[in-house]
């Protein structure tokens, strides 16, 4: 498995935008679901795929609230989905399957990041429950539509933050050990995103369904604040002074755009999601972790201090692509969904 983690020389760079990656690709007749596709990199993913001709369902907790963001984007509709509510996920799946449409691309983009310990109604830690388990349940439910596409891709938006934590096999819901910033919980959930893509690809590749995990870079959304914008919800966890010390914002509080340091615009941040979802260069390749519009090399783990480092490593590390861990997480996730 780890031998797959070798760059293929895509020709794109960290500065490439989603529109550039999609140049010459026609997605007419293709159906796409993007969770959290109304904000940040999710919105740019939605816009770019629509411009290429795709028809999109944007899965959000509040479809009415997402309407203004989606205004003017052709063939894009909002559908209600709460990733922390299993019943909401089942209802979304039932509506989509009931439409009879095949699903060619599923972008599991929505996510929450850091903050104090919060549990869902099942007692599950919210980052693991939202970022991984909710998308796991959604993807498994949509399997008939993915199969019907006769060639589909599932893209999990992860993060270099996967380097912070392996799966806490004995205590994934943090009965103890939750840090003040919630970064271990975040790291575990991002590792889960990668392992899910690895095992999905192993199980479903024969059905023509390939799985990818994508690190988008460090992206500030339009509602700029002292946080790293990733998905539907973003939690302030670094002060402006800390962000300036890391070189993420300038003296005026504006985000720094430096793709070589992974400081990207939403258009640049969405590019690797779009690359994973559509690029013919990935034909026959799956179960890999991508960054900067290419396959990431395998890296050596080392400690990370987000509060002081200006160049935080984000290449994939072995625990996130271990095939035995990927199988184990899939089985654990199935058991957790049955409780």
């Amino acid at each position: 498995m780890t031998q797959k983690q070798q760059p293929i020389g895509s020709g794109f760079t960290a500065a490439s935008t989603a529109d550039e990656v999609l140049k010459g690709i026609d997605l007419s007749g293709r159906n796409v679901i993007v969770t959290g596709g109304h904000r940040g990199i999710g919105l740019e993913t939605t816009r770019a795929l629509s411009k290429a001709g795709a028809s999109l369902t944007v899965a959000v907790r509040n479809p009415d609230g997402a309407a203004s963001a989606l205004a003017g984007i052709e063939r894009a509709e909002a559908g209600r989905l709460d990733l922390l509510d299993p019943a909401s996920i089942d209802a979304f799946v039932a509506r989509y399957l009931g439409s009879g449409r095949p699903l060619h691309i599923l972008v599991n983009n929505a996510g929450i990041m850091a903050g104090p310990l919060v549990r869902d109604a099942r007692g599950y830690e919210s980052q693991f429950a939202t970022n991984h388990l909710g998308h796991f349940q959604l993807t498994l439910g949509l399997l008939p539509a993915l199969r019907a596409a006769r060639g589909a891709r599932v893209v999990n938006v992860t993060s270099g933050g996967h380097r912070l934590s392996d799966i806490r096999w004995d205590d994934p819901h943090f009965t103890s050990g939750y840090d003040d910033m919630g970064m271990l919980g975040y790291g575990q959930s991002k590792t889960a995103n990668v392992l899910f893509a690895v095992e999905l690809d192993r199980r479903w590749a024969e059905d023509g369904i390939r799985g990818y995990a994508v690190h988008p870079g460090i992206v500030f959304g339009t509602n700029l604040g002292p946080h790293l914008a990733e998905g539907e919800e973003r939690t302030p966890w670094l002060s402006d002074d800390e962000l300036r010390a890391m070189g993420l914002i300038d003296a005026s509080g504006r985000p720094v755009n430096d793709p070589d340091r992974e400081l990207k615009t939403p258009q640049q941040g969405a590019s690797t999601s779009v690359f994973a979802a559509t690029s013919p260069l990935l034909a026959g390749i799956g179960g890999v972790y991508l960054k900067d519009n290419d396959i990431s090399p395998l890296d050596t783990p080392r400690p990370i201090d987000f509060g002081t480092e200006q160049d935080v490593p984000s290449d994939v590390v072995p625990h996130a692509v271990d095939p035995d861990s990927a199988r184990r997480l899939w089985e654990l996730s199935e058991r957790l969904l049955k409780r």
Side-chain angles (χ1 to χ4, degrees):
M1 170 60 219
T2 55
Q3 292 180 350
K4 292 183 180 181
Q5 290 299 148
Q6 298 179 15
I8 57 176
S10 69
F12 297 108
T13 70
S16 298
T17 66
D19 287 342
E20 290 168 346
V21 168
L22 280 167
K23 186 175 181 180
I25 293 178
D26 183 4
L27 298 178
S28 299
R30 301 294 182 93
N31 298 314
V32 181
I33 293 174
V34 182
T35 67
H38 64 306
R39 293 179 182 170
I41 62 170
L43 179 58
E44 293 306 323
T45 299
T46 299
R47 284 176 175 162
L49 294 173
S50 170
K51 286 175 66 176
S55 298
L56 294 108
T57 301
V58 176
V60 297
R61 286 192 309 273
N62 182 2
D64 291 338
S68 60
L70 299 177
I73 301 179
E74 295 182 354
R75 299 173 305 282
E77 61 181 13
R80 187 179 185 282
L81 173 69
D82 184 344
L83 289 167
L84 272 181
D85 181 356
S88 174
I89 298 170
D90 287 343
F92 179 92
V93 167
R95 289 193 300 271
Y96 191 88
L97 296 183
S99 74
R101 291 173 291 173
L103 179 59
H104 301 88
I105 299 169
L106 170 60
V107 183
N108 290 323
N109 167 83
I112 57 176
M113 181 178 186
L117 178 60
V118 176
R119 301 188 185 280
D120 69 6
R122 300 166 292 189
Y124 297 168
E125 189 273 322
S126 61
Q127 293 182 89
F128 187 73
T130 301
N131 299 349
H132 170 60
L133 283 178
H135 283 125
F136 182 81
Q137 179 183 345
L138 174 69
T139 306
L140 265 61
L142 290 169
L143 178 57
L146 291 165
R147 282 180 172 151
R150 299 185 179 181
R153 296 189 183 187
V154 176
V155 180
N156 295 337
V157 177
T158 182
S159 166
H162 75 274
R163 300 169 66 108
L164 293 167
S165 178
D166 198 348
I167 303 299
R168 292 164 50 97
W169 299 107
D170 296 328
D171 187 20
H173 305 305
F174 287 90
T175 59
S176 64
Y178 195 86
D179 58 298
D180 290 342
M181 291 171 60
M183 293 307 293
L184 289 178
Y186 177 70
Q188 174 183 241
S189 74
K190 296 291 101 178
T191 289
N193 293 152
V194 188
L195 291 173
F196 177 26
V198 169
E199 181 65 1
L200 181 152
D201 195 79
R202 186 188 74 82
R203 289 176 179 245
W204 294 356
E206 289 187 358
D207 290 328
I209 304 167
R210 307 310 300 256
Y212 306 91
V214 165
H215 168 64
I218 300 171
V219 182
F220 283 92
T222 53
N223 54 336
L224 179 60
H227 51 254
L228 304 183
E230 174 155 336
E232 278 197 54
E233 293 185 356
R234 297 166 290 275
T235 302
W237 57 281
L238 290 174
S239 69
D240 280 359
D241 288 343
E242 289 170 318
L243 291 171
R244 289 190 187 95
M246 294 175 68
L248 302 181
I249 62 175
D250 63 21
S252 301
R254 292 186 295 266
V256 173
N257 181 220
D258 186 355
D260 289 336
R261 288 183 51 224
E262 301 201 43
L263 306 180
K264 301 182 180 183
T265 66
Q267 294 82 2
Q268 292 167 336
S271 64
T272 307
S273 293
V274 167
F275 178 79
T278 67
S279 177
L281 297 174
L282 294 173
I285 303 173
V288 289
Y289 171 101
L290 308 174
K291 59 171 282 188
D292 297 339
N293 301 298
D294 207 334
I295 298 175
S296 162
L298 191 67
D299 197 13
T300 302
R302 70 171 177 83
I304 301 173
D305 184 350
F306 278 100
T308 60
E309 296 193 47
Q310 291 207 8
D311 294 300
V312 177
S314 60
D315 288 337
V316 72
V317 292
H319 72 245
V321 291
D322 179 79
D324 292 331
S325 292
R327 294 185 188 96
R328 185 179 181 186
L329 177 64
W330 189 289
E331 293 166 359
L332 172 63
S333 301
E334 288 180 324
R335 292 196 301 272
L336 291 173
L337 291 184
K338 291 177 182 177
R339 293 183 184 176

